[in-house]
Amino acid sequence: MREIIIETESMARFNQTADTALEAGKMSSGFVLAYGKAGRGKSVAADRYYYERGGAYVRVWQNWSQSAFLQRLLFEVRGKNMDMPRHNGNRCKELIVEVLENDPKPLFIDEADRLSIDRIEDLRDIFEMTGVPVVLIGEEGIWGLLRERRRIMSRVAYEVEFMPISPTEASIFLKQAANLNVSPDLCLKITKQADGDFRVVRNIALQLEKAAKASEKYEVDTAMLETAFSNIIHKKK
């Protein structure tokens, strides 16, 4: 199966929102919140935007301390082949601000819902000093984290909710990735089985492609689909 990325409606809205935040200027900028259940394409959208248009991208690790988080952020903000910084948290923050004042760029913080509220406060400090957009990417629980501090919620200027993959988007993916022809009603069954999770749609596509190659039949029917369903493990949340 070909590794492809299709342009979903959620990805298009993410791109548009990120562009708006970047063009807003310091006085109208703020945090961008991109959220949704797992498997909705949040990280893919942020990854692609970052690689195509630049910025600094950090994927959060569980239980990062202030120093660990800000060292990684400084490393990415510098964007050069340099050793990982070993300064304390406060010095890292000062250096991050210094770099961004001279070379403004958006900050993409993936899996931001894994951060403690104090790390979000560090990002607020950086935003207040530089005005660069801070894009927080996370699952729905990120709302509970941000609501702990009113002063943080007031900085959320833009929101993008990542919706379930649609039958139309599933059809496009199945055709482009595996050359499978799937009717609209079967695509609807696929997205329902997957509960809107793109990763599960991909797993179903792998099973269908395997069956299609064996039978040399790329027109998916109900029997093929039911067999694919039975061959994957998926529990709806």
Side-chain angles (χ1 to χ4, degrees), residues 10-21 23 49 53 160:
S10 294
M11 287 183 181
R13 285 189 290 106
F14 177 87
N15 290 343
Q16 183 179 30
T17 302
D19 284 345
T20 299
E23 294 165 4
Y49 193 97
R53 311 187 198 191
V160 182

Side-chain angles (χ1 to χ4, degrees), residues 173-194:
F173 173 76
L174 291 161
K175 182 63 177 178
Q176 293 185 5
N179 199 32
L180 295 166
N181 298 310
V182 188
S183 66
D185 60 320
L186 293 185
C187 282
L188 179 59
K189 288 185 177 181
I190 289 171
T191 55
K192 284 185 175 179
Q193 177 72 13

Side-chain angles (χ1 to χ4, degrees), residues 94-231:
E94 292 172 345
L95 292 170
I96 289 166
V97 168
E98 182 180 308
V99 173
L100 292 176
E101 285 179 334
N102 293 312
D103 181 22
K105 63 188 71 175
L107 308 181
F108 297 92
I109 313 298
D110 199 0
E111 300 199 26
D113 48 312
R114 302 175 79 180
L115 289 172
S116 73
I117 191 63
D118 287 339
R119 300 295 73 76
I120 304 293
E121 289 281 16
D122 288 326
L123 291 169
R124 184 179 71 88
D125 288 340
I126 292 166
F127 166 73
E128 293 290 342
M129 294 298 296
T130 66
V132 300
V134 178
V135 184
L136 302 176
I137 304 126
E139 296 188 22
E140 294 159 308
I142 195 170
W143 281 109
L145 176 66
L146 299 182
R147 287 191 181 109
E148 291 184 30
R149 305 282 170 89
R150 183 180 294 273
R151 60 179 174 264
I152 293 177
M153 279 299 299
S154 68
R155 267 71 175 183
V156 178
Y158 310 92
E159 302 170 22
V160 182
E161 181 178 6
F162 277 72
M163 306 303 291
I165 183 171
S166 72
T168 299
E169 291 164 349
S171 176
I172 293 169
F173 173 76
L174 291 161
K175 182 63 177 178
Q176 293 185 5
N179 199 32
L180 295 166
N181 298 310
V182 188
S183 66
D185 60 320
L186 293 185
C187 282
L188 179 59
K189 288 185 177 181
I190 289 171
T191 55
K192 284 185 175 179
Q193 177 72 13
D195 195 23
D197 189 324
F198 182 83
R199 296 187 188 99
V200 179
V201 172
R202 184 180 183 278
N203 291 340
I204 293 170
L206 287 167
Q207 293 295 327
L208 290 173
E209 183 186 45
K210 182 179 178 180
K213 287 181 176 179
S215 64
E216 297 184 351
K217 176 185 174 184
Y218 286 82
E219 194 79 28
V220 175
D221 58 27
T222 301
M224 288 174 63
L225 187 58
E226 292 301 328
T227 300
F229 286 170
S230 68
N231 287 336

